[in-house]
Amino acid sequence: MQIHQLKREHPLKKSRQIGRGGKRGKTAGRGTKGQLARSGRKLRPELRDIIKKIPKRRGYGRNRGLTVNDGVVKAKVVQLGSINKVFASGATINPAALFEQKLIRRESGKLPKVKILAGGALSKTFQFTDCLVSASARVQIEKAGGKIS
């Protein structure tokens, strides 16, 4: 074998020039008009089209409840009957005590507000603190000799 008979392992390839000049004139291989013919040549984000297709609710404040008040924790409901079963007479009932007895759960790491409803019978006296109480539950608690503060 002589030196003029040697061949390259990889043949010489020139990179093709795209854009103005080179072998692609006029539209430079981009066709005519449209988003992909423009400079930058970026596609519009698909997510944006999805957002545009979602039905919008008209008027001020229609969608605000989803974002503005998302930190508001709604009151958890506890019935008087379940309190009567779990607690001893004379106990102080508050959100912390209800949590210890597993009648309520934490909401996003915080103890929620608690509302006492008049479901079931009440035969013991209790002292309620930091709890919202319905009107009919208030009557039952005061009738049994309990206090609400």
Side-chain angles (χ1 to χ4, degrees), residues 43-54 56:
L43 287 170
R44 178 180 166 137
E46 207 174 311
L47 187 64
R48 185 172 160 191
D49 292 330
I50 293 166
I51 291 166
K52 296 280 277 180
K53 287 176 188 175
I54 294 169
K56 307 299 185 291

Side-chain angles (χ1 to χ4, degrees), residues 109-147:
K110 300 177 196 171
L111 284 175
K113 292 179 183 176
V114 176
K115 183 156 187 174
I116 310 297
L117 299 183
L122 187 66
S123 58
K124 301 173 188 172
T125 58
F126 297 114
Q127 178 150 2
F128 291 89
T129 57
D130 299 331
C131 294
L132 301 168
V133 182
S134 70
S136 53
R138 186 178 293 273
V139 170
Q140 275 194 359
I141 292 164
E142 289 169 353
K143 191 176 177 183
K147 291 183 182 178

Side-chain angles (χ1 to χ4, degrees), residues 88-106:
S89 184
T92 302
I93 311 280
N94 55 25
L98 292 167
F99 176 72
E100 284 175 25
Q101 294 296 327
K102 297 182 180 177
L103 290 175
I104 59 168
R105 290 184 185 172
R106 287 184 192 266

Side-chain angles (χ1 to χ4, degrees), residues 2-139:
Q2 294 182 353
I3 201 155
H4 69 274
Q5 291 172 324
L6 293 175
K7 288 191 174 181
R8 291 171 171 266
E9 192 176 337
H10 304 290
L12 180 65
K13 288 184 180 178
K14 287 187 178 177
S15 62
R16 203 160 219 184
Q17 235 177 344
I18 296 174
R20 293 225 163 120
K23 292 181 181 176
R24 297 178 180 220
K26 199 180 165 235
T27 54
R30 290 189 177 187
T32 54
K33 298 185 181 176
Q35 192 176 1
L36 298 179
R38 306 281 187 246
S39 65
R41 206 156 188 253
K42 288 182 183 163
L43 287 170
R44 178 180 166 137
E46 207 174 311
L47 187 64
R48 185 172 160 191
D49 292 330
I50 293 166
I51 291 166
K52 296 280 277 180
K53 287 176 188 175
I54 294 169
K56 307 299 185 291
R57 297 170 70 201
R58 297 179 65 200
Y60 176 78
R62 294 286 184 260
N63 296 318
R64 291 183 66 187
L66 304 174
T67 55
V68 176
N69 297 325
D70 64 343
V72 174
V73 180
K74 291 185 179 177
K76 295 291 168 193
V77 174
V78 180
Q79 305 292 341
L80 278 176
S82 57
I83 291 171
N84 198 44
K85 286 178 191 173
V86 174
F87 290 97
S89 184
T92 302
I93 311 280
N94 55 25
L98 292 167
F99 176 72
E100 284 175 25
Q101 294 296 327
K102 297 182 180 177
L103 290 175
I104 59 168
R105 290 184 185 172
R106 287 184 192 266
E107 290 289 319
S108 63
K110 300 177 196 171
L111 284 175
K113 292 179 183 176
V114 176
K115 183 156 187 174
I116 310 297
L117 299 183
L122 187 66
S123 58
K124 301 173 188 172
T125 58
F126 297 114
Q127 178 150 2
F128 291 89
T129 57
D130 299 331
C131 294
L132 301 168
V133 182
S134 70
S136 53
R138 186 178 293 273
V139 170

